[in-house]
Coordinates of all heavy atoms in Angstrom, one line a residue:
M1 N 158.7 4.6 94.1 CA 160.0 4.1 93.8 C 160.9 4.2 95.0 O 160.9 5.2 95.7 CB 160.6 5.0 92.7 CG 162.0 4.6 92.3 SD 162.7 5.7 91.0 CE 161.5 6.7 90.4
E2 N 161.5 3.1 95.3 CA 162.4 3.0 96.5 C 163.7 3.6 96.2 O 164.2 3.5 95.1 CB 162.5 1.6 96.9 CG 161.3 0.9 97.5 CD 161.5 -0.5 97.9 OE1 162.6 -0.8 98.3 OE2 160.5 -1.2 98.0
L3 N 164.4 4.2 97.2 CA 165.7 4.7 97.1 C 166.7 3.6 97.4 O 167.0 3.3 98.5 CB 165.9 5.9 98.0 CG 167.2 6.6 97.9 CD1 167.4 7.2 96.5 CD2 167.3 7.7 98.9
D4 N 167.1 2.9 96.3 CA 168.0 1.8 96.4 C 169.3 2.1 95.7 O 169.4 1.9 94.5 CB 167.3 0.5 95.9 CG 168.2 -0.7 96.1 OD1 169.1 -0.7 96.9 OD2 168.0 -1.7 95.3
L5 N 170.3 2.6 96.4 CA 171.5 3.1 95.7 C 172.7 2.1 96.0 O 172.8 1.6 97.1 CB 171.9 4.5 96.2 CG 170.8 5.5 96.0 CD1 171.3 6.8 96.7 CD2 170.6 5.8 94.6
A6 N 173.5 2.0 95.0 CA 174.7 1.1 95.1 C 175.7 1.9 96.0 O 175.6 3.1 96.2 CB 175.3 0.8 93.8
G7 N 176.7 1.2 96.5 CA 177.7 1.8 97.4 C 178.4 3.0 96.9 O 178.4 4.0 97.6
A8 N 178.9 3.1 95.7 CA 179.6 4.3 95.2 C 178.6 5.4 95.0 O 178.9 6.6 95.3 CB 180.3 3.9 93.9
E9 N 177.4 5.1 94.5 CA 176.4 6.2 94.3 C 176.0 6.7 95.6 O 175.9 8.0 95.8 CB 175.1 5.6 93.6 CG 175.3 5.1 92.2 CD 174.1 4.3 91.7 OE1 173.4 3.7 92.5 OE2 173.9 4.3 90.5
L10 N 175.7 5.9 96.6 CA 175.3 6.3 97.9 C 176.4 7.2 98.6 O 176.1 8.2 99.1 CB 175.0 5.1 98.8 CG 174.5 5.4 100.2 CD1 173.2 6.2 100.2 CD2 174.4 4.1 101.0
K11 N 177.6 6.7 98.5 CA 178.7 7.5 99.1 C 178.8 8.9 98.5 O 179.0 9.9 99.2 CB 180.0 6.7 98.9 CG 181.2 7.4 99.6 CD 182.5 6.6 99.5 CE 183.6 7.3 100.2 NZ 184.8 6.6 100.1
S12 N 178.7 9.0 97.2 CA 178.8 10.3 96.5 C 177.7 11.2 96.9 O 177.9 12.4 97.2 CB 178.8 10.0 95.0 OG 178.7 11.3 94.3
I13 N 176.5 10.7 97.0 CA 175.3 11.5 97.3 C 175.4 11.9 98.8 O 175.2 13.1 99.1 CB 174.0 10.7 97.1 CG1 173.8 10.6 95.6 CG2 172.8 11.5 97.7 CD1 172.7 9.7 95.2
L14 N 175.8 11.0 99.7 CA 176.0 11.4 101.1 C 177.1 12.4 101.3 O 176.9 13.3 102.1 CB 176.2 10.1 101.9 CG 175.0 9.2 102.1 CD1 175.4 7.9 102.8 CD2 173.9 9.9 102.8
N15 N 178.1 12.3 100.5 CA 179.2 13.3 100.6 C 178.7 14.7 100.2 O 179.0 15.7 100.8 CB 180.4 12.9 99.7 CG 181.2 11.8 100.3 OD1 181.2 11.6 101.5 ND2 182.0 11.2 99.5
R16 N 177.9 14.7 99.1 CA 177.3 16.0 98.7 C 176.4 16.6 99.8 O 176.4 17.8 100.0 CB 176.6 15.9 97.4 CG 177.4 15.6 96.2 CD 176.5 15.6 94.9 NE 177.3 15.1 93.8 CZ 178.1 15.9 93.1 NH1 178.2 17.2 93.4 NH2 178.8 15.4 92.0
L17 N 175.6 15.7 100.4 CA 174.7 16.2 101.4 C 175.4 16.7 102.6 O 175.1 17.7 103.3 CB 173.7 15.1 101.7 CG 172.7 14.8 100.6 CD1 171.8 13.6 101.0 CD2 171.8 16.0 100.4
R18 N 176.5 16.0 103.0 CA 177.3 16.4 104.2 C 178.0 17.7 103.9 O 178.1 18.6 104.8 CB 178.3 15.3 104.5 CG 177.6 14.1 105.2 CD 178.7 13.1 105.7 NE 178.0 12.0 106.3 CZ 177.9 10.8 105.7 NH1 178.4 10.6 104.5 NH2 177.2 9.8 106.3
R19 N 178.4 17.9 102.6 CA 179.1 19.2 102.3 C 178.0 20.3 102.4 O 178.3 21.4 102.9 CB 179.6 19.1 100.8 CG 180.4 20.3 100.4 CD 181.0 20.2 99.0 NE 181.7 18.9 98.9 CZ 181.5 18.0 97.9 NH1 180.5 18.2 97.0 NH2 182.2 16.9 97.8
A20 N 176.8 20.1 101.9 CA 175.8 21.1 102.0 C 175.4 21.4 103.5 O 175.2 22.5 103.8 CB 174.5 20.6 101.2
Q21 N 175.4 20.3 104.3 CA 175.1 20.5 105.7 C 176.2 21.4 106.3 O 175.9 22.3 107.1 CB 175.1 19.1 106.4 CG 174.7 19.2 107.8 CD 174.7 17.8 108.4 OE1 175.5 16.9 108.0 NE2 173.8 17.6 109.4
G22 N 177.4 21.2 106.0 CA 178.5 22.0 106.5 C 178.4 23.4 106.0 O 178.7 24.4 106.8
Q23 N 178.1 23.6 104.8 CA 177.9 24.9 104.2 C 176.8 25.7 104.9 O 176.9 26.9 105.2 CB 177.7 24.9 102.7 CG 179.0 24.4 102.0 CD 178.7 24.1 100.5 OE1 177.7 23.5 100.2 NE2 179.7 24.3 99.7
I24 N 175.7 25.0 105.1 CA 174.5 25.6 105.8 C 174.9 26.0 107.2 O 174.5 27.1 107.7 CB 173.3 24.7 105.7 CG1 172.8 24.6 104.3 CG2 172.2 25.3 106.7 CD1 171.7 23.6 104.1
S25 N 175.6 25.2 107.9 CA 176.1 25.5 109.3 C 177.0 26.8 109.2 O 176.9 27.6 110.1 CB 176.9 24.4 109.9 OG 176.0 23.3 110.1
G26 N 177.8 26.8 108.2 CA 178.7 28.0 108.0 C 177.9 29.2 107.7 O 178.2 30.3 108.2
V27 N 176.8 29.1 106.9 CA 176.0 30.3 106.7 C 175.3 30.8 108.0 O 175.3 32.0 108.2 CB 174.9 29.9 105.6 CG1 173.8 31.0 105.5 CG2 175.5 29.7 104.3
I28 N 174.8 29.9 108.8 CA 174.2 30.3 110.0 C 175.2 31.0 110.9 O 174.9 32.0 111.5 CB 173.6 29.0 110.8 CG1 172.4 28.5 110.0 CG2 173.3 29.4 112.2 CD1 172.0 27.1 110.4
R29 N 176.4 30.4 111.0 CA 177.5 31.0 111.8 C 177.8 32.4 111.3 O 178.0 33.4 112.0 CB 178.7 30.1 111.8 CG 179.8 30.5 112.8 CD 180.9 29.4 112.9 NE 181.3 28.8 111.7 CZ 180.9 27.6 111.2 NH1 180.1 26.9 112.0 NH2 181.4 27.1 110.1
M30 N 177.9 32.5 109.9 CA 178.3 33.8 109.3 C 177.2 34.9 109.6 O 177.5 36.0 109.9 CB 178.4 33.7 107.8 CG 179.6 32.8 107.4 SD 179.6 32.4 105.6 CE 180.1 33.9 104.9
I31 N 175.9 34.5 109.6 CA 174.9 35.4 109.9 C 174.9 35.9 111.4 O 174.8 37.0 111.7 CB 173.5 34.8 109.5 CG1 173.4 34.7 108.0 CG2 172.3 35.7 110.1 CD1 172.1 33.9 107.6
E32 N 175.2 34.9 112.2 CA 175.3 35.2 113.7 C 176.4 36.1 114.0 O 176.3 36.9 114.9 CB 175.4 33.9 114.5 CG 174.2 33.0 114.5 CD 174.4 31.7 115.1 OE1 175.5 31.2 115.3 OE2 173.3 31.0 115.4
E33 N 177.5 36.0 113.2 CA 178.7 36.8 113.4 C 178.6 38.2 112.7 O 179.4 39.0 112.8 CB 179.9 36.1 112.8 CG 180.3 34.9 113.6 CD 181.4 34.1 112.9 OE1 181.8 34.4 111.8 OE2 181.8 33.1 113.6
G34 N 177.5 38.4 111.9 CA 177.3 39.6 111.2 C 178.2 39.8 110.0 O 178.6 40.9 109.7
R35 N 178.6 38.7 109.4 CA 179.5 38.8 108.2 C 178.9 39.5 107.0 O 177.7 39.7 107.0 CB 179.9 37.4 107.8 CG 180.6 36.6 108.9 CD 182.1 36.8 108.9 NE 182.8 36.3 107.8 CZ 183.2 35.1 107.6 NH1 183.1 34.2 108.5 NH2 183.9 34.8 106.5
D36 N 179.7 39.8 106.1 CA 179.3 40.6 104.9 C 178.3 39.8 104.1 O 178.3 38.6 103.9 CB 180.6 40.8 104.0 CG 180.3 41.5 102.7 OD1 179.9 42.7 102.8 OD2 180.3 40.8 101.7
C37 N 177.3 40.5 103.6 CA 176.1 40.0 102.9 C 176.6 39.2 101.7 O 176.1 38.1 101.4 CB 175.2 41.1 102.5 SG 173.8 40.5 101.5
E38 N 177.5 39.7 100.9 CA 178.0 39.0 99.7 C 178.6 37.6 100.1 O 178.4 36.7 99.4 CB 179.0 39.9 99.0 CG 179.4 39.3 97.7 CD 180.3 40.3 96.9 OE1 180.4 41.5 97.2 OE2 181.0 39.8 96.0
E39 N 179.4 37.6 101.2 CA 180.0 36.3 101.6 C 178.9 35.3 102.0 O 179.0 34.1 101.7 CB 180.9 36.5 102.8 CG 182.2 37.3 102.5 CD 183.0 37.6 103.8 OE1 182.8 36.9 104.8 OE2 183.8 38.5 103.7
V40 N 177.9 35.8 102.7 CA 176.8 34.9 103.1 C 176.1 34.3 101.9 O 175.8 33.1 101.9 CB 175.9 35.6 104.1 CG1 174.6 34.8 104.4 CG2 176.6 36.1 105.4
V41 N 175.7 35.2 101.0 CA 175.0 34.8 99.8 C 175.8 33.8 99.0 O 175.3 32.8 98.5 CB 174.5 36.0 99.0 CG1 173.9 35.6 97.7 CG2 173.5 36.8 99.8
T42 N 177.1 34.1 98.9 CA 178.0 33.2 98.1 C 178.0 31.8 98.7 O 177.9 30.8 98.0 CB 179.4 33.7 98.0 OG1 179.4 35.0 97.4 CG2 180.4 32.8 97.3
Q43 N 178.1 31.7 100.0 CA 178.1 30.4 100.7 C 176.8 29.7 100.6 O 176.7 28.5 100.5 CB 178.5 30.6 102.2 CG 178.8 29.4 103.0 CD 180.1 28.7 102.5 OE1 180.9 29.2 101.8 NE2 180.2 27.4 102.8
L44 N 175.7 30.5 100.7 CA 174.3 30.0 100.6 C 174.1 29.4 99.2 O 173.5 28.3 99.0 CB 173.3 31.0 100.9 CG 171.9 30.6 101.1 CD1 171.7 29.6 102.2 CD2 171.0 31.8 101.4
A45 N 174.6 30.1 98.2 CA 174.5 29.6 96.8 C 175.3 28.3 96.6 O 174.8 27.3 96.0 CB 175.0 30.6 95.8
A46 N 176.4 28.2 97.3 CA 177.2 26.9 97.2 C 176.4 25.8 97.8 O 176.4 24.6 97.3 CB 178.6 27.1 97.9
A47 N 175.8 26.0 99.0 CA 175.0 25.0 99.6 C 173.8 24.6 98.8 O 173.5 23.4 98.6 CB 174.5 25.5 101.0
S48 N 173.2 25.5 98.1 CA 172.1 25.2 97.2 C 172.5 24.4 96.1 O 171.8 23.4 95.7 CB 171.5 26.6 96.7 OG 170.4 26.3 95.8
R49 N 173.6 24.7 95.5 CA 174.2 23.9 94.4 C 174.5 22.4 94.8 O 174.2 21.5 94.1 CB 175.4 24.5 93.8 CG 175.1 25.7 92.8 CD 176.3 26.1 92.1 NE 177.4 26.5 92.9 CZ 177.7 27.7 93.4 NH1 176.8 28.7 93.2 NH2 178.7 27.9 94.2
A50 N 175.0 22.3 96.0 CA 175.3 21.0 96.5 C 174.0 20.1 96.7 O 174.0 19.0 96.4 CB 176.1 21.1 97.9
L51 N 173.0 20.8 97.2 CA 171.7 20.1 97.4 C 171.1 19.7 96.1 O 170.6 18.6 95.9 CB 170.7 21.0 98.2 CG 171.0 21.1 99.7 CD1 170.1 22.2 100.3 CD2 170.9 19.8 100.4
D52 N 171.2 20.6 95.1 CA 170.7 20.4 93.8 C 171.4 19.2 93.1 O 170.8 18.3 92.5 CB 170.8 21.6 92.8 CG 169.8 22.7 93.2 OD1 168.8 22.4 93.9 OD2 170.0 23.8 92.7
R53 N 172.7 19.2 93.3 CA 173.5 18.1 92.7 C 173.2 16.7 93.3 O 173.1 15.7 92.6 CB 175.0 18.4 92.8 CG 175.4 19.4 91.8 CD 176.9 19.7 92.0 NE 177.4 20.7 91.1 CZ 178.1 20.5 90.0 NH1 178.5 19.3 89.7 NH2 178.5 21.5 89.2
A54 N 172.9 16.7 94.6 CA 172.5 15.5 95.3 C 171.2 15.0 94.8 O 171.0 13.9 94.5 CB 172.5 15.7 96.8
G55 N 170.2 16.0 94.6 CA 168.9 15.6 94.1 C 169.0 15.1 92.7 O 168.3 14.1 92.4
F56 N 169.8 15.8 91.8 CA 169.9 15.3 90.5 C 170.5 13.9 90.4 O 170.1 13.1 89.6 CB 170.7 16.3 89.6 CG 169.9 17.6 89.3 CD1 170.5 18.8 89.5 CD2 168.6 17.5 88.8 CE1 169.8 20.0 89.2 CE2 167.9 18.7 88.5 CZ 168.5 19.9 88.7
A57 N 171.5 13.7 91.3 CA 172.1 12.3 91.3 C 171.1 11.3 91.7 O 171.1 10.2 91.1 CB 173.3 12.3 92.2
I58 N 170.2 11.6 92.6 CA 169.2 10.6 93.0 C 168.2 10.4 91.9 O 167.8 9.3 91.6 CB 168.5 11.1 94.3 CG1 169.4 11.0 95.5 CG2 167.2 10.3 94.6 CD1 168.9 11.8 96.7
I59 N 167.8 11.5 91.2 CA 166.9 11.4 90.1 C 167.5 10.6 88.9 O 166.8 9.8 88.3 CB 166.4 12.8 89.7 CG1 165.5 13.4 90.7 CG2 165.6 12.7 88.3 CD1 165.0 14.8 90.5
A60 N 168.7 10.9 88.6 CA 169.4 10.2 87.5 C 169.5 8.7 87.8 O 169.2 7.9 86.9 CB 170.8 10.7 87.3
T61 N 169.7 8.3 89.1 CA 169.7 6.9 89.4 C 168.3 6.3 89.3 O 168.2 5.2 88.8 CB 170.2 6.7 90.9 OG1 171.6 7.3 91.0 CG2 170.3 5.3 91.3
G62 N 167.3 7.0 89.7 CA 166.0 6.6 89.6 C 165.6 6.4 88.1 O 164.9 5.4 87.7
L63 N 166.0 7.4 87.3 CA 165.7 7.3 85.9 C 166.4 6.1 85.2 O 165.7 5.3 84.5 CB 166.1 8.5 85.1 CG 165.9 8.6 83.6 CD1 164.4 8.5 83.3 CD2 166.5 9.9 83.1
Q64 N 167.6 5.8 85.6 CA 168.3 4.7 85.1 C 167.6 3.4 85.5 O 167.4 2.5 84.7 CB 169.7 4.7 85.6 CG 170.6 3.6 85.1 CD 172.0 3.6 85.7 OE1 172.2 4.3 86.7 NE2 172.9 3.0 85.1
R65 N 167.1 3.3 86.7 CA 166.4 2.2 87.2 C 165.1 2.0 86.5 O 164.7 0.9 86.2 CB 166.2 2.3 88.7 CG 165.7 1.0 89.3 CD 166.0 0.9 90.8 NE 167.4 0.7 91.0 CZ 168.2 1.6 91.6 NH1 167.7 2.6 92.2 NH2 169.5 1.3 91.8
C66 N 164.4 3.1 86.3 CA 163.1 3.0 85.6 C 163.3 2.5 84.2 O 162.5 1.6 83.7 CB 162.5 4.4 85.5 SG 161.7 4.9 87.0
V67 N 164.3 2.9 83.5 CA 164.6 2.4 82.1 C 164.9 0.9 82.2 O 164.4 0.2 81.4 CB 165.8 3.2 81.5 CG1 166.2 2.5 80.2 CG2 165.4 4.6 81.2
A68 N 165.7 0.5 83.1 CA 166.0 -0.9 83.3 C 164.8 -1.7 83.6 O 164.6 -2.8 83.0 CB 167.1 -1.1 84.3
D69 N 163.9 -1.2 84.4 CA 162.7 -1.9 84.8 C 161.8 -2.0 83.5 O 161.2 -3.1 83.3 CB 161.9 -1.1 85.9 CG 162.6 -1.3 87.2 OD1 163.5 -2.1 87.4 OD2 162.2 -0.6 88.2
I70 N 161.7 -1.0 82.7 CA 160.8 -1.0 81.5 C 161.4 -2.1 80.6 O 160.6 -2.9 80.1 CB 160.8 0.3 80.8 CG1 159.9 1.3 81.7 CG2 160.2 0.2 79.4 CD1 160.0 2.7 81.2
E71 N 162.7 -2.1 80.4 CA 163.3 -3.0 79.5 C 163.2 -4.5 80.0 O 163.0 -5.4 79.2 CB 164.8 -2.7 79.3 CG 165.0 -1.4 78.5 CD 166.5 -1.0 78.3 OE1 167.3 -1.6 79.1 OE2 166.8 -0.1 77.6
S72 N 163.2 -4.7 81.3 CA 163.1 -6.0 81.8 C 161.6 -6.4 82.1 O 161.4 -7.6 82.5 CB 163.9 -6.2 83.0 OG 163.4 -5.4 84.1
G73 N 160.7 -5.5 81.9 CA 159.3 -5.8 82.2 C 158.9 -5.7 83.6 O 157.7 -6.0 84.0
R74 N 159.7 -5.2 84.5 CA 159.4 -5.0 85.9 C 158.9 -3.6 86.2 O 159.6 -2.7 86.6 CB 160.6 -5.2 86.8 CG 161.1 -6.7 86.8 CD 162.4 -6.8 87.6 NE 163.4 -6.1 86.8 CZ 164.5 -5.5 87.4 NH1 164.6 -5.4 88.7 NH2 165.4 -4.9 86.6
T75 N 157.6 -3.4 85.9 CA 157.1 -2.0 86.0 C 156.0 -1.9 87.1 O 155.4 -0.8 87.3 CB 156.4 -1.6 84.7 OG1 155.3 -2.5 84.4 CG2 157.4 -1.5 83.6
N76 N 155.8 -2.9 87.9 CA 154.9 -2.8 89.1 C 153.5 -2.3 88.6 O 152.9 -1.5 89.3 CB 155.4 -2.0 90.2 CG 156.7 -2.5 90.8 OD1 156.8 -3.7 90.9 ND2 157.5 -1.7 91.3
G77 N 153.1 -2.8 87.5 CA 151.7 -2.4 87.0 C 151.6 -1.0 86.4 O 150.6 -0.6 86.0
Q78 N 152.7 -0.3 86.3 CA 152.7 1.0 85.6 C 153.2 0.9 84.2 O 154.1 0.2 83.9 CB 153.6 2.0 86.4 CG 153.2 2.3 87.7 CD 154.1 3.4 88.3 OE1 155.2 3.6 87.9 NE2 153.6 4.1 89.3
D79 N 152.5 1.7 83.4 CA 153.0 1.7 82.0 C 154.1 2.8 81.8 O 154.4 3.5 82.8 CB 151.9 2.0 81.0 CG 151.2 3.3 81.1 OD1 151.8 4.2 81.7 OD2 150.1 3.5 80.6
A80 N 154.7 2.8 80.7 CA 155.9 3.7 80.5 C 155.5 5.2 80.7 O 156.2 6.0 81.2 CB 156.4 3.5 79.1
Q81 N 154.2 5.5 80.2 CA 153.8 6.9 80.4 C 153.6 7.3 81.8 O 154.0 8.4 82.2 CB 152.4 7.0 79.6 CG 151.9 8.5 79.6 CD 152.8 9.4 78.8 OE1 153.5 9.0 77.9 NE2 152.8 10.7 79.2
Q82 N 153.1 6.4 82.7 CA 153.0 6.7 84.1 C 154.4 6.9 84.7 O 154.6 7.8 85.5 CB 152.3 5.6 84.8 CG 150.8 5.6 84.5 CD 150.1 4.3 85.1 OE1 150.7 3.2 85.0 NE2 148.9 4.5 85.6
M83 N 155.3 6.0 84.4 CA 156.7 6.1 84.9 C 157.3 7.4 84.4 O 158.0 8.1 85.2 CB 157.5 4.9 84.5 CG 157.0 3.7 85.2 SD 158.0 2.2 84.8 CE 159.4 2.4 85.9
R84 N 157.1 7.8 83.2 CA 157.7 9.0 82.7 C 157.1 10.2 83.4 O 157.8 11.2 83.8 CB 157.3 9.2 81.2 CG 157.9 10.4 80.5 CD 157.3 10.6 79.1 NE 157.8 11.8 78.5 CZ 157.2 13.0 78.8 NH1 156.2 13.1 79.6 NH2 157.7 14.1 78.2
A85 N 155.8 10.2 83.7 CA 155.2 11.3 84.4 C 155.7 11.5 85.8 O 156.0 12.6 86.3 CB 153.7 11.1 84.5
R86 N 156.0 10.3 86.5 CA 156.6 10.4 87.8 C 158.0 11.0 87.8 O 158.4 11.8 88.6 CB 156.7 9.0 88.4 CG 155.3 8.5 88.8 CD 155.4 7.1 89.4 NE 156.3 6.9 90.5 CZ 156.9 5.8 90.8 NH1 156.7 4.7 90.1 NH2 157.7 5.8 91.9
M87 N 158.8 10.6 86.8 CA 160.2 11.1 86.7 C 160.1 12.6 86.3 O 160.9 13.4 86.9 CB 161.0 10.3 85.6 CG 161.2 8.9 86.0 SD 162.0 8.7 87.7 CE 163.5 9.6 87.5
E88 N 159.2 13.0 85.5 CA 159.1 14.4 85.1 C 158.7 15.2 86.3 O 159.3 16.3 86.5 CB 158.0 14.6 84.0 CG 157.9 16.0 83.5 CD 156.8 16.1 82.4 OE1 156.7 15.2 81.6 OE2 156.2 17.2 82.3
K89 N 157.8 14.7 87.1 CA 157.5 15.4 88.4 C 158.7 15.6 89.3 O 158.9 16.7 89.9 CB 156.3 14.7 89.1 CG 155.8 15.4 90.3 CD 154.7 14.6 90.9 CE 154.2 15.2 92.2 NZ 153.1 14.5 92.8
L90 N 159.5 14.6 89.4 CA 160.7 14.6 90.2 C 161.7 15.7 89.7 O 162.2 16.5 90.5 CB 161.4 13.3 90.3 CG 160.7 12.2 91.2 CD1 161.4 10.9 91.0 CD2 160.7 12.7 92.6
F91 N 161.9 15.7 88.4 CA 162.8 16.7 87.8 C 162.3 18.1 88.1 O 163.0 19.0 88.4 CB 162.9 16.5 86.3 CG 164.0 15.5 85.9 CD1 163.7 14.3 85.3 CD2 165.3 15.8 86.1 CE1 164.6 13.4 84.9 CE2 166.3 14.9 85.7 CZ 166.0 13.7 85.2
L92 N 161.0 18.3 87.9 CA 160.4 19.6 88.1 C 160.5 20.1 89.5 O 160.5 21.3 89.8 CB 159.0 19.7 87.5 CG 158.8 19.6 86.0 CD1 157.4 19.5 85.6 CD2 159.5 20.8 85.4
S93 N 160.5 19.1 90.4 CA 160.5 19.5 91.9 C 161.9 20.2 92.2 O 162.0 20.9 93.2 CB 160.3 18.3 92.8 OG 161.4 17.4 92.7
L94 N 162.9 19.9 91.4 CA 164.2 20.5 91.6 C 164.4 21.8 90.8 O 165.4 22.5 91.0 CB 165.3 19.5 91.3 CG 165.5 18.4 92.3 CD1 166.5 17.4 91.8 CD2 165.8 18.9 93.7
A95 N 163.5 22.1 89.9 CA 163.7 23.2 89.0 C 163.4 24.5 89.7 O 162.7 24.6 90.7 CB 162.8 23.1 87.8

């Protein structure tokens, strides 16, 4: 499945990824500065959530596209069960 996102979807996902990138840079800096463990873990958890949200947004878009493809008959030779298995694998990869 290709990653083909519309403008608003793409912008939202890229914003989340940039936010996570900044948070990870912050975590690195905090560790280098010897900051408090609780502060570091809190920032790391925020970065993890941002990455998860970006991943879920990508999967949700893919799921929406798969449903549209099934309804329109554009399944590239895959049946609904195969497409479902692929989407399930993607969801589980973020679990």
Side-chain angles (χ1 to χ4, degrees):
M1 177 181 350
E2 292 181 24
L3 186 60
D4 182 23
L5 302 172
E9 294 168 333
L10 180 61
K11 184 177 180 180
S12 174
I13 291 169
L14 289 174
N15 284 341
R16 288 184 189 279
L17 291 173
R18 286 187 183 104
R19 186 176 308 124
Q21 183 179 31
Q23 289 167 326
I24 291 170
S25 294
V27 168
I28 292 169
R29 191 171 40 258
M30 292 169 78
I31 291 171
E32 290 173 343
E33 294 170 355
R35 300 274 293 273
D36 179 68
C37 177
E38 188 175 342
E39 293 175 17
V40 172
V41 171
T42 299
Q43 191 68 18
L44 191 57
S48 178
R49 282 190 303 274
L51 289 172
D52 286 344
R53 287 178 180 255
F56 287 131
I58 291 168
I59 290 173
T61 301
L63 179 59
Q64 182 180 19
R65 188 156 294 115
C66 284
V67 169
D69 286 350
I70 289 170
E71 289 176 351
S72 69
R74 293 176 288 147
T75 60
N76 295 329
Q78 292 185 338
D79 65 18
Q81 185 63 29
Q82 290 171 319
M83 292 180 81
R84 181 188 175 281
R86 287 178 57 207
M87 293 308 298
E88 184 177 327
K89 183 178 177 181
L90 287 173
F91 273 112
L92 291 173
S93 71
L94 291 175

